[in-house]
Amino acid sequence: MAAGTSETPDRRAVRDFLESTQAGICAALEALDGEARFRGEEIARPGGGVSRPRVLEDGPLIEKAAVNFTHTEGAEMPGAATQRRPELAGRRYEAISVSLIVHPRNPWVPTCHANYRFFLADDPAGGAPVWWFGGGFDLTPYYGFEEDAIHWHRTARAACEVHSPELYPRFKAQCDAYFFLPHRNEPRGIGGIFYDDFDEGGFARAFALWRATAEAFLAAYRPIVERRRDLVWGEREREFQLYRRGRYVEFNLLQDRGTRFGLQAGARTESVLASLPPRVAWRYDWSPEPGTAEARLHEVFLRPRDWADEPLPQPS
Amino acid sequence: MAAGTSETPDRRAVRDFLESTQAGICAALEALDGEARFRGEEIARPGGGVSRPRVLEDGPLIEKAAVNFTHTEGAEMPGAATQRRPELAGRRYEAISVSLIVHPRNPWVPTCHANYRFFLADDPAGGAPVWWFGGGFDLTPYYGFEEDAIHWHRTARAACEVHSPELYPRFKAQCDAYFFLPHRNEPRGIGGIFYDDFDEGGFARAFALWRATAEAFLAAYRPIVERRRDLVWGEREREFQLYRRGRYVEFNLLQDRGTRFGLQAGARTESVLASLPPRVAWRYDWSPEPGTAEARLHEVFLRPRDWADEPLPQPS
């Protein structure tokens, strides 16, 4: 029996979970910020379905956050999605996702991104539908902290172990490979986990893994925010943050498949580009002085490391 | 006899012209700025040739300008360049270009871009080489002025008429088509001229047209800078400029063939991305209030218009 067809997928449960994930993450981010509020809309999608972008701007802690829920129902699988699965061309399908990004104001607090998606294509012959889950989260610090990187990756690993111990190394490697800027020969950040096309163990087990990795997001991010939010920053740290945000823009517009595909497929531009940082700077041919806190980002953090296996630094 | 093979191309004259164009434009921009200076390097290109990026940053008038000279000599035509001309695959070739961008600090002064390039591929059988010219310039105002748009396009038209009266409408249409953001359904600015693959009339006449369009750049841009540079601006105008610069980044990273091809082909990233604005802002789902000066940009200027044919506004 093929994986992913062993049980009837419960699309209602998937959708309910993502809707409550969006609500829960927005509420948690508002609570962290303390002042700013998400604004939201409900937008019917041309081909069927709905999208509910929610964006928070100009908070004291969070300069911009976007947490978007999208449910697409399509009469025919589009070309781009069928390259990998040509047998699905033309089938009726559903795609449900939450994607989110947080751009904090304080440069000591890292930017984070997460995405959770479910895909299902019906069998026109009345057989079992094809479905899979995808997801993950990755962290982009401006100033790195070993204990934060270790916590981030251990939380990701613990979520993956709900399913099996071999998932985390696979998903971490996929994250490192995906969030990479070839023109800079540089990772986007310290990674995390990233997976797609996941149906291993059947619906119930794959759904449980997926839920665990979604619930892990706040468990991974919130303690890091709490630890760094009161660190004092000035123009130097702000300038470095704005400069490093340029890499984020480069990745999203040059590399990210979701962004490029979304724009080409006619998705709502403001929703797709809600991930872009609120303020960004580019400087020509600049790099930090060796030995500075800014140089440590490259030297220590922007290289693949097995963070989850490292010992937590001892308090000095 | 095929156009472009009727006379021996003088590649030395082309290169000399572009080198003096780079020097002349840098000197003129420094004079306009009054304080900041271009810094430059000479970088040997891996496959042969040289690139001389020159970048000015943080001037009182010019926040960032990049004027790059590149001379590529290659043993074999790369794939991307041969799609249109498959007969050139594998030939020895040369490409010489100057490309430039100016991001002024004052939001009343428009951003401008220009590019001049010459391409030549030798015939391995000893016949005449294949060659062509390309070039053009386009203007991206934050706040539009009819008289500036008319001056810009009339200057472009006059340069094209050195060769023939039918060039300007063709080159203007190509510019409007190229500098367009499909995901915004919006032109990048008020256009100008853009041409490629140009060898009409043989080398001497094509070279003369190309020189005229290169010399027209300063004739088109400088008077606009002089007219607007002393207009007083504040936070409102600056914010609108930063917001609109986001469109520039989106165009360069999502659309521009030179940027995408350059990065994929392994060109020096800092030279390719020197065109990005120094500071940029993105705001979610924002548009200016109807009736404001900011709304006029869309209503009056961000639409294709035959600016060169319009009457100059009378002084009131």
Side-chain angles (χ1 to χ4, degrees), chain A residues 39 41 53 55 57 183-184 239 242 250 253-254 260 263 268-270 273 276-285, chain B residues 39 41 53 55 57 183-184 239 242 250 253-254 260 263 268-270 273 276-282 284-285:
Chain A
R39 54 194 170 110
E41 294 139 285
V55 175
E57 286 179 297
H183 65 286
R184 301 282 188 184
E239 283 301 312
L242 296 181
E250 292 172 22
L253 300 186
L254 288 170
R260 297 189 63 82
L263 294 176
R268 179 172 173 264
T269 294
E270 284 296 326
L273 298 184
L276 295 178
R279 283 173 182 266
V280 187
W282 275 273
R283 253 179 287 179
Y284 175 67
D285 202 21
Chain B
R39 57 194 169 111
E41 292 138 286
V55 175
E57 287 178 296
H183 64 286
R184 300 284 189 184
E239 284 300 313
L242 296 182
E250 292 172 22
L253 299 187
L254 288 169
R260 296 190 64 82
L263 294 177
R268 178 172 174 265
T269 295
E270 283 296 326
L273 298 185
L276 295 178
R279 285 174 181 266
V280 187
W282 275 274
Y284 175 67
D285 201 21

Short mmCIF file of all heavy atoms in Angstrom, two decimals, chain A residues 39 41 53 55 57 183-184 239 242 250 253-254 260 263 268-270 273 276-285, chain B residues 39 41 53 55 57 183-184 239 242 250 253-254 260 263 268-270 273 276-282 284-285:
data_model
loop_
_atom_site.label_atom_id
_atom_site.label_comp_id
_atom_site.label_asym_id
_atom_site.label_seq_id
_atom_site.Cartn_x
_atom_site.Cartn_y
_atom_site.Cartn_z
N ARG A 39 -4.03 43.21 11.67
CA ARG A 39 -5.25 43.48 10.92
C ARG A 39 -5.42 42.37 9.90
O ARG A 39 -4.43 41.76 9.46
CB ARG A 39 -5.24 44.86 10.27
CG ARG A 39 -4.06 45.13 9.39
CD ARG A 39 -3.98 46.63 9.08
NE ARG A 39 -2.73 46.95 8.43
CZ ARG A 39 -2.63 47.32 7.14
NH1 ARG A 39 -3.72 47.43 6.38
NH2 ARG A 39 -1.46 47.60 6.61
N GLU A 41 -7.93 40.41 6.69
CA GLU A 41 -8.97 40.47 5.68
C GLU A 41 -9.35 39.05 5.32
O GLU A 41 -8.62 38.12 5.61
CB GLU A 41 -8.47 41.13 4.40
CG GLU A 41 -8.13 42.58 4.54
CD GLU A 41 -6.85 42.91 3.79
OE1 GLU A 41 -5.77 42.54 4.30
OE2 GLU A 41 -6.96 43.48 2.70
N PRO A 53 -4.99 36.87 4.95
CA PRO A 53 -3.73 37.45 5.40
C PRO A 53 -3.96 38.24 6.69
O PRO A 53 -4.97 38.93 6.84
CB PRO A 53 -3.33 38.38 4.25
CG PRO A 53 -4.61 38.70 3.55
CD PRO A 53 -5.52 37.52 3.74
N VAL A 55 -1.65 40.86 9.12
CA VAL A 55 -0.37 41.58 9.18
C VAL A 55 -0.38 42.53 10.37
O VAL A 55 -1.39 43.20 10.62
CB VAL A 55 -0.10 42.35 7.86
CG1 VAL A 55 1.16 43.18 7.97
CG2 VAL A 55 0.01 41.38 6.69
N GLU A 57 1.95 45.69 12.01
CA GLU A 57 3.04 46.60 11.66
C GLU A 57 3.28 47.59 12.79
O GLU A 57 2.35 47.98 13.50
CB GLU A 57 2.69 47.38 10.37
CG GLU A 57 2.79 46.53 9.12
CD GLU A 57 2.41 47.31 7.86
OE1 GLU A 57 1.24 47.75 7.76
OE2 GLU A 57 3.26 47.46 6.98
N HIS A 183 24.25 33.19 -4.80
CA HIS A 183 25.04 34.34 -5.28
C HIS A 183 25.87 34.95 -4.15
O HIS A 183 26.75 35.78 -4.42
CB HIS A 183 24.13 35.37 -5.94
CG HIS A 183 23.15 36.00 -4.98
ND1 HIS A 183 22.05 35.34 -4.50
CD2 HIS A 183 23.13 37.22 -4.41
CE1 HIS A 183 21.38 36.13 -3.70
NE2 HIS A 183 22.01 37.28 -3.61
N ARG A 184 25.58 34.63 -2.90
CA ARG A 184 26.39 35.08 -1.77
C ARG A 184 27.20 33.92 -1.20
O ARG A 184 28.00 34.16 -0.28
CB ARG A 184 25.49 35.63 -0.66
CG ARG A 184 24.61 36.80 -1.07
CD ARG A 184 25.41 38.08 -1.12
NE ARG A 184 24.57 39.26 -1.31
CZ ARG A 184 25.07 40.48 -1.47
NH1 ARG A 184 26.38 40.69 -1.47
NH2 ARG A 184 24.26 41.49 -1.66
N GLU A 239 21.76 49.48 11.98
CA GLU A 239 22.30 49.50 10.62
C GLU A 239 22.68 48.10 10.16
O GLU A 239 22.49 47.74 9.00
CB GLU A 239 23.53 50.42 10.56
CG GLU A 239 23.17 51.90 10.55
CD GLU A 239 22.28 52.28 9.37
OE1 GLU A 239 22.59 51.88 8.23
OE2 GLU A 239 21.26 52.94 9.59
N LEU A 242 19.48 46.29 9.25
CA LEU A 242 18.93 46.73 7.95
C LEU A 242 19.76 46.15 6.80
O LEU A 242 19.22 45.75 5.77
CB LEU A 242 18.92 48.26 7.85
CG LEU A 242 18.03 49.00 8.85
CD1 LEU A 242 18.12 50.51 8.60
CD2 LEU A 242 16.58 48.55 8.74
N GLU A 250 16.83 39.53 -0.93
CA GLU A 250 17.46 38.83 -2.06
C GLU A 250 16.98 37.38 -2.11
O GLU A 250 16.64 36.87 -3.18
CB GLU A 250 18.98 38.89 -1.95
CG GLU A 250 19.54 40.29 -2.14
CD GLU A 250 21.03 40.37 -1.84
OE1 GLU A 250 21.73 39.34 -1.89
OE2 GLU A 250 21.52 41.49 -1.55
N LEU A 253 13.14 37.23 -3.20
CA LEU A 253 12.80 37.61 -4.58
C LEU A 253 13.60 36.81 -5.61
O LEU A 253 13.12 36.58 -6.72
CB LEU A 253 12.99 39.11 -4.78
CG LEU A 253 12.13 40.02 -3.89
CD1 LEU A 253 12.30 41.48 -4.29
CD2 LEU A 253 10.65 39.64 -3.96
N LEU A 254 14.82 36.43 -5.27
CA LEU A 254 15.63 35.70 -6.26
C LEU A 254 15.44 34.19 -6.17
O LEU A 254 15.50 33.50 -7.18
CB LEU A 254 17.12 36.00 -6.07
CG LEU A 254 17.63 37.38 -6.48
CD1 LEU A 254 19.06 37.57 -5.98
CD2 LEU A 254 17.58 37.56 -7.99
N ARG A 260 8.19 33.32 -5.94
CA ARG A 260 8.23 33.44 -7.41
C ARG A 260 7.02 32.76 -8.04
O ARG A 260 6.40 33.29 -8.95
CB ARG A 260 9.54 32.88 -7.96
CG ARG A 260 10.77 33.64 -7.47
CD ARG A 260 12.03 33.22 -8.19
NE ARG A 260 11.95 33.52 -9.60
CZ ARG A 260 12.20 34.70 -10.14
NH1 ARG A 260 12.57 35.71 -9.38
NH2 ARG A 260 12.10 34.88 -11.43
N LEU A 263 3.77 34.81 -7.36
CA LEU A 263 3.62 36.00 -8.19
C LEU A 263 3.31 35.62 -9.64
O LEU A 263 2.48 36.25 -10.29
CB LEU A 263 4.87 36.88 -8.12
CG LEU A 263 5.14 37.49 -6.74
CD1 LEU A 263 6.45 38.26 -6.75
CD2 LEU A 263 4.00 38.40 -6.30
N ARG A 268 -2.30 37.14 -4.87
CA ARG A 268 -2.37 38.55 -4.48
C ARG A 268 -0.98 39.03 -4.06
O ARG A 268 -0.40 38.55 -3.10
CB ARG A 268 -3.35 38.67 -3.32
CG ARG A 268 -3.52 40.07 -2.78
CD ARG A 268 -4.66 40.10 -1.76
NE ARG A 268 -4.75 41.38 -1.10
CZ ARG A 268 -4.20 41.65 0.08
NH1 ARG A 268 -3.51 40.73 0.73
NH2 ARG A 268 -4.33 42.85 0.63
N THR A 269 -0.48 40.01 -4.80
CA THR A 269 0.90 40.46 -4.62
C THR A 269 1.17 40.91 -3.19
O THR A 269 2.20 40.58 -2.60
CB THR A 269 1.21 41.58 -5.62
OG1 THR A 269 1.17 41.02 -6.94
CG2 THR A 269 2.57 42.18 -5.38
N GLU A 270 0.27 41.68 -2.61
CA GLU A 270 0.52 42.20 -1.26
C GLU A 270 0.60 41.08 -0.23
O GLU A 270 1.33 41.21 0.75
CB GLU A 270 -0.55 43.22 -0.87
CG GLU A 270 -0.36 44.59 -1.53
CD GLU A 270 0.94 45.28 -1.11
OE1 GLU A 270 1.37 45.13 0.04
OE2 GLU A 270 1.54 45.97 -1.96
N LEU A 273 4.11 39.34 -0.90
CA LEU A 273 5.25 40.18 -0.52
C LEU A 273 5.14 40.73 0.90
O LEU A 273 5.99 41.53 1.32
CB LEU A 273 5.44 41.31 -1.53
CG LEU A 273 5.77 40.84 -2.96
CD1 LEU A 273 6.03 42.04 -3.87
CD2 LEU A 273 6.95 39.87 -3.00
N LEU A 276 8.31 40.61 3.06
CA LEU A 276 9.49 41.47 2.93
C LEU A 276 9.66 42.34 4.18
O LEU A 276 8.68 42.78 4.77
CB LEU A 276 9.36 42.34 1.67
CG LEU A 276 9.37 41.53 0.37
CD1 LEU A 276 9.18 42.46 -0.83
CD2 LEU A 276 10.64 40.72 0.22
N PRO A 277 10.89 42.58 4.56
CA PRO A 277 11.12 43.39 5.76
C PRO A 277 10.62 44.81 5.56
O PRO A 277 10.60 45.33 4.44
CB PRO A 277 12.65 43.39 5.91
CG PRO A 277 13.16 42.32 5.00
CD PRO A 277 12.15 42.15 3.92
N PRO A 278 10.23 45.47 6.65
CA PRO A 278 9.67 46.82 6.52
C PRO A 278 10.70 47.85 6.08
O PRO A 278 10.37 48.78 5.35
CB PRO A 278 9.15 47.13 7.92
CG PRO A 278 9.87 46.18 8.83
CD PRO A 278 10.18 44.96 8.02
N ARG A 279 11.94 47.71 6.54
CA ARG A 279 13.01 48.64 6.17
C ARG A 279 14.28 47.86 5.92
O ARG A 279 14.59 46.93 6.66
CB ARG A 279 13.27 49.67 7.26
CG ARG A 279 12.21 50.70 7.26
CD ARG A 279 12.25 51.68 8.36
NE ARG A 279 11.09 52.52 8.15
CZ ARG A 279 11.14 53.66 7.47
NH1 ARG A 279 12.29 54.13 7.03
NH2 ARG A 279 10.05 54.34 7.27
N VAL A 280 14.98 48.26 4.88
CA VAL A 280 16.13 47.50 4.41
C VAL A 280 17.19 48.48 3.93
O VAL A 280 16.86 49.59 3.49
CB VAL A 280 15.72 46.59 3.22
CG1 VAL A 280 16.86 45.66 2.84
CG2 VAL A 280 14.48 45.80 3.56
N ALA A 281 18.45 48.08 4.00
CA ALA A 281 19.53 48.90 3.45
C ALA A 281 20.48 48.01 2.66
O ALA A 281 20.69 46.85 3.02
CB ALA A 281 20.28 49.61 4.57
N TRP A 282 21.00 48.57 1.57
CA TRP A 282 22.10 47.92 0.87
C TRP A 282 23.30 48.86 0.88
O TRP A 282 23.16 50.06 0.62
CB TRP A 282 21.71 47.61 -0.59
CG TRP A 282 20.98 46.33 -0.77
CD1 TRP A 282 21.52 45.09 -0.95
CD2 TRP A 282 19.55 46.14 -0.82
NE1 TRP A 282 20.51 44.15 -1.08
CE2 TRP A 282 19.32 44.77 -1.02
CE3 TRP A 282 18.45 47.00 -0.71
CZ2 TRP A 282 18.03 44.22 -1.10
CZ3 TRP A 282 17.18 46.48 -0.79
CH2 TRP A 282 16.97 45.10 -0.99
N ARG A 283 24.45 48.29 1.19
CA ARG A 283 25.70 49.05 1.14
C ARG A 283 26.61 48.34 0.16
O ARG A 283 26.64 47.11 0.14
CB ARG A 283 26.37 49.05 2.52
CG ARG A 283 26.27 50.38 3.22
CD ARG A 283 26.92 50.31 4.59
NE ARG A 283 26.11 49.54 5.52
CZ ARG A 283 26.47 49.31 6.79
NH1 ARG A 283 27.62 49.76 7.24
NH2 ARG A 283 25.68 48.63 7.60
N TYR A 284 27.36 49.09 -0.62
CA TYR A 284 28.20 48.48 -1.64
C TYR A 284 29.45 47.86 -1.03
O TYR A 284 30.19 48.54 -0.30
CB TYR A 284 28.59 49.53 -2.69
CG TYR A 284 29.56 49.02 -3.72
CD1 TYR A 284 29.18 48.03 -4.63
CD2 TYR A 284 30.86 49.49 -3.77
CE1 TYR A 284 30.06 47.55 -5.57
CE2 TYR A 284 31.76 49.02 -4.70
CZ TYR A 284 31.35 48.05 -5.61
OH TYR A 284 32.24 47.57 -6.54
N ASP A 285 29.66 46.59 -1.32
CA ASP A 285 30.92 45.92 -1.02
C ASP A 285 31.36 46.11 0.42
O ASP A 285 32.52 46.38 0.69
CB ASP A 285 32.00 46.46 -1.98
CG ASP A 285 33.16 45.46 -2.12
OD1 ASP A 285 32.97 44.27 -1.85
OD2 ASP A 285 34.26 45.91 -2.51
N ARG B 39 34.35 55.68 -5.77
CA ARG B 39 35.51 54.83 -5.56
C ARG B 39 35.44 53.73 -6.61
O ARG B 39 34.37 53.36 -7.08
CB ARG B 39 35.57 54.27 -4.14
CG ARG B 39 34.36 53.49 -3.70
CD ARG B 39 34.40 53.27 -2.17
NE ARG B 39 33.13 52.76 -1.71
CZ ARG B 39 32.95 51.52 -1.24
NH1 ARG B 39 33.97 50.67 -1.20
NH2 ARG B 39 31.77 51.12 -0.82
N GLU B 41 37.40 50.17 -8.60
CA GLU B 41 38.33 49.05 -8.58
C GLU B 41 38.50 48.58 -10.01
O GLU B 41 37.71 48.90 -10.88
CB GLU B 41 37.76 47.87 -7.80
CG GLU B 41 37.62 48.09 -6.33
CD GLU B 41 36.31 47.51 -5.84
OE1 GLU B 41 35.24 48.13 -6.12
OE2 GLU B 41 36.35 46.46 -5.20
N PRO B 53 33.93 48.55 -11.70
CA PRO B 53 32.79 49.16 -11.03
C PRO B 53 33.21 50.46 -10.35
O PRO B 53 34.30 50.54 -9.78
CB PRO B 53 32.38 48.11 -9.99
CG PRO B 53 33.61 47.29 -9.76
CD PRO B 53 34.39 47.32 -11.03
N VAL B 55 31.45 53.27 -7.69
CA VAL B 55 30.28 53.50 -6.85
C VAL B 55 30.51 54.73 -5.97
O VAL B 55 31.60 54.90 -5.42
CB VAL B 55 29.98 52.26 -5.97
CG1 VAL B 55 28.84 52.53 -5.00
CG2 VAL B 55 29.64 51.05 -6.85
N GLU B 57 28.71 56.79 -2.73
CA GLU B 57 27.70 56.61 -1.68
C GLU B 57 27.68 57.80 -0.76
O GLU B 57 28.72 58.43 -0.51
CB GLU B 57 27.99 55.34 -0.86
CG GLU B 57 27.69 54.05 -1.60
CD GLU B 57 28.03 52.80 -0.78
OE1 GLU B 57 29.22 52.60 -0.47
OE2 GLU B 57 27.11 52.04 -0.47
N HIS B 183 3.63 41.79 -11.73
CA HIS B 183 2.92 41.46 -10.48
C HIS B 183 2.29 42.69 -9.84
O HIS B 183 1.49 42.57 -8.91
CB HIS B 183 3.87 40.77 -9.49
CG HIS B 183 5.00 41.63 -9.04
ND1 HIS B 183 6.07 41.95 -9.83
CD2 HIS B 183 5.22 42.26 -7.86
CE1 HIS B 183 6.90 42.73 -9.16
NE2 HIS B 183 6.41 42.93 -7.97
N ARG B 184 2.67 43.87 -10.29
CA ARG B 184 2.03 45.11 -9.84
C ARG B 184 1.16 45.71 -10.94
O ARG B 184 0.47 46.72 -10.69
CB ARG B 184 3.09 46.16 -9.46
CG ARG B 184 4.04 45.74 -8.35
CD ARG B 184 3.38 45.83 -7.00
NE ARG B 184 4.32 45.63 -5.92
CZ ARG B 184 3.95 45.58 -4.63
NH1 ARG B 184 2.68 45.70 -4.29
NH2 ARG B 184 4.83 45.39 -3.68
N GLU B 239 9.55 59.08 3.05
CA GLU B 239 8.87 57.79 3.22
C GLU B 239 8.29 57.30 1.90
O GLU B 239 8.33 56.11 1.59
CB GLU B 239 7.75 57.91 4.26
CG GLU B 239 8.27 57.95 5.69
CD GLU B 239 9.07 56.70 6.06
OE1 GLU B 239 8.60 55.58 5.78
OE2 GLU B 239 10.17 56.85 6.62
N LEU B 242 11.18 55.95 -0.15
CA LEU B 242 11.63 54.63 0.31
C LEU B 242 10.63 53.55 -0.10
O LEU B 242 11.02 52.45 -0.50
CB LEU B 242 11.79 54.63 1.84
CG LEU B 242 12.87 55.54 2.42
CD1 LEU B 242 12.93 55.39 3.94
CD2 LEU B 242 14.24 55.27 1.81
N GLU B 250 12.03 45.18 -6.43
CA GLU B 250 11.23 44.09 -6.99
C GLU B 250 11.54 43.91 -8.48
O GLU B 250 11.72 42.78 -8.95
CB GLU B 250 9.73 44.36 -6.79
CG GLU B 250 9.31 44.32 -5.32
CD GLU B 250 7.87 44.78 -5.10
OE1 GLU B 250 7.06 44.76 -6.06
OE2 GLU B 250 7.55 45.20 -3.97
N LEU B 253 15.23 42.41 -8.95
CA LEU B 253 15.45 41.03 -8.51
C LEU B 253 14.47 40.04 -9.14
O LEU B 253 14.82 38.88 -9.35
CB LEU B 253 15.40 40.93 -6.99
CG LEU B 253 16.45 41.76 -6.24
CD1 LEU B 253 16.40 41.46 -4.75
CD2 LEU B 253 17.86 41.51 -6.77
N LEU B 254 13.25 40.49 -9.43
CA LEU B 254 12.28 39.55 -10.01
C LEU B 254 12.31 39.55 -11.53
O LEU B 254 12.08 38.51 -12.15
CB LEU B 254 10.85 39.91 -9.57
CG LEU B 254 10.46 39.64 -8.12
CD1 LEU B 254 9.12 40.30 -7.81
CD2 LEU B 254 10.38 38.14 -7.85
N ARG B 260 19.41 38.94 -13.14
CA ARG B 260 19.24 37.50 -12.91
C ARG B 260 20.30 36.71 -13.67
O ARG B 260 20.88 35.77 -13.14
CB ARG B 260 17.83 37.05 -13.31
CG ARG B 260 16.76 37.71 -12.43
CD ARG B 260 15.38 37.11 -12.66
NE ARG B 260 15.34 35.72 -12.28
CZ ARG B 260 15.18 35.28 -11.04
NH1 ARG B 260 15.05 36.13 -10.05
NH2 ARG B 260 15.17 33.99 -10.79
N LEU B 263 23.80 37.14 -12.02
CA LEU B 263 24.00 36.36 -10.80
C LEU B 263 24.11 34.87 -11.10
O LEU B 263 24.94 34.17 -10.53
CB LEU B 263 22.86 36.62 -9.81
CG LEU B 263 22.79 38.04 -9.26
CD1 LEU B 263 21.59 38.21 -8.35
CD2 LEU B 263 24.07 38.41 -8.51
N ARG B 268 30.31 39.08 -10.48
CA ARG B 268 30.57 39.54 -9.11
C ARG B 268 29.29 40.13 -8.52
O ARG B 268 28.76 41.14 -9.01
CB ARG B 268 31.68 40.60 -9.17
CG ARG B 268 32.04 41.21 -7.83
CD ARG B 268 33.27 42.09 -8.01
NE ARG B 268 33.58 42.82 -6.80
CZ ARG B 268 33.17 44.07 -6.55
NH1 ARG B 268 32.42 44.71 -7.42
NH2 ARG B 268 33.50 44.67 -5.42
N THR B 269 28.81 39.51 -7.45
CA THR B 269 27.51 39.87 -6.89
C THR B 269 27.44 41.34 -6.50
O THR B 269 26.44 42.02 -6.78
CB THR B 269 27.22 38.97 -5.67
OG1 THR B 269 27.08 37.63 -6.14
CG2 THR B 269 25.95 39.40 -4.96
N GLU B 270 28.48 41.88 -5.87
CA GLU B 270 28.42 43.26 -5.43
C GLU B 270 28.32 44.24 -6.60
O GLU B 270 27.71 45.30 -6.47
CB GLU B 270 29.62 43.60 -4.55
CG GLU B 270 29.51 43.04 -3.14
CD GLU B 270 28.35 43.64 -2.33
OE1 GLU B 270 28.05 44.82 -2.52
OE2 GLU B 270 27.76 42.90 -1.53
N LEU B 273 24.59 43.84 -7.92
CA LEU B 273 23.59 44.39 -7.01
C LEU B 273 23.91 45.82 -6.57
O LEU B 273 23.22 46.37 -5.71
CB LEU B 273 23.42 43.47 -5.79
CG LEU B 273 22.92 42.06 -6.12
CD1 LEU B 273 22.68 41.26 -4.84
CD2 LEU B 273 21.65 42.09 -6.97
N LEU B 276 20.98 48.30 -6.51
CA LEU B 276 19.90 48.34 -5.52
C LEU B 276 19.95 49.65 -4.73
O LEU B 276 21.02 50.16 -4.43
CB LEU B 276 19.98 47.14 -4.59
CG LEU B 276 19.76 45.79 -5.29
CD1 LEU B 276 19.90 44.64 -4.30
CD2 LEU B 276 18.40 45.73 -5.97
N PRO B 277 18.79 50.17 -4.39
CA PRO B 277 18.77 51.44 -3.65
C PRO B 277 19.40 51.27 -2.27
O PRO B 277 19.35 50.19 -1.69
CB PRO B 277 17.27 51.74 -3.50
CG PRO B 277 16.56 50.82 -4.43
CD PRO B 277 17.43 49.64 -4.64
N PRO B 278 19.97 52.35 -1.73
CA PRO B 278 20.65 52.23 -0.44
C PRO B 278 19.69 51.97 0.72
O PRO B 278 20.05 51.27 1.66
CB PRO B 278 21.34 53.58 -0.29
CG PRO B 278 20.62 54.51 -1.20
CD PRO B 278 20.11 53.69 -2.33
N ARG B 279 18.52 52.55 0.67
CA ARG B 279 17.52 52.34 1.73
C ARG B 279 16.15 52.19 1.09
O ARG B 279 15.82 52.91 0.16
CB ARG B 279 17.48 53.51 2.71
CG ARG B 279 18.66 53.46 3.62
CD ARG B 279 18.83 54.62 4.53
NE ARG B 279 20.04 54.34 5.27
CZ ARG B 279 20.05 53.73 6.45
NH1 ARG B 279 18.92 53.44 7.06
NH2 ARG B 279 21.19 53.45 7.03
N VAL B 280 15.40 51.25 1.64
CA VAL B 280 14.12 50.87 1.03
C VAL B 280 13.13 50.56 2.14
O VAL B 280 13.54 50.14 3.24
CB VAL B 280 14.32 49.60 0.17
CG1 VAL B 280 13.06 49.27 -0.61
CG2 VAL B 280 15.50 49.75 -0.77
N ALA B 281 11.86 50.76 1.87
CA ALA B 281 10.82 50.36 2.83
C ALA B 281 9.71 49.63 2.09
O ALA B 281 9.41 49.94 0.93
CB ALA B 281 10.26 51.59 3.54
N TRP B 282 9.14 48.65 2.77
CA TRP B 282 7.91 48.02 2.28
C TRP B 282 6.83 48.22 3.33
O TRP B 282 7.07 48.00 4.52
CB TRP B 282 8.11 46.51 2.04
CG TRP B 282 8.68 46.18 0.71
CD1 TRP B 282 8.00 46.00 -0.46
CD2 TRP B 282 10.07 45.97 0.38
NE1 TRP B 282 8.88 45.70 -1.48
CE2 TRP B 282 10.14 45.68 -1.00
CE3 TRP B 282 11.26 46.01 1.12
CZ2 TRP B 282 11.35 45.42 -1.65
CZ3 TRP B 282 12.45 45.76 0.47
CH2 TRP B 282 12.49 45.47 -0.90
N TYR B 284 2.69 47.17 4.09
CA TYR B 284 1.69 46.21 3.64
C TYR B 284 0.45 46.92 3.12
O TYR B 284 -0.14 47.75 3.82
CB TYR B 284 1.31 45.28 4.78
CG TYR B 284 0.19 44.33 4.44
CD1 TYR B 284 0.37 43.33 3.50
CD2 TYR B 284 -1.05 44.45 5.06
CE1 TYR B 284 -0.65 42.46 3.18
CE2 TYR B 284 -2.08 43.58 4.75
CZ TYR B 284 -1.88 42.59 3.81
OH TYR B 284 -2.90 41.73 3.49
N ASP B 285 0.08 46.59 1.91
CA ASP B 285 -1.21 46.97 1.33
C ASP B 285 -1.47 48.46 1.46
O ASP B 285 -2.57 48.89 1.83
CB ASP B 285 -2.33 46.19 2.06
CG ASP B 285 -3.60 46.12 1.21
OD1 ASP B 285 -3.49 46.30 -0.02
OD2 ASP B 285 -4.68 45.88 1.77
#
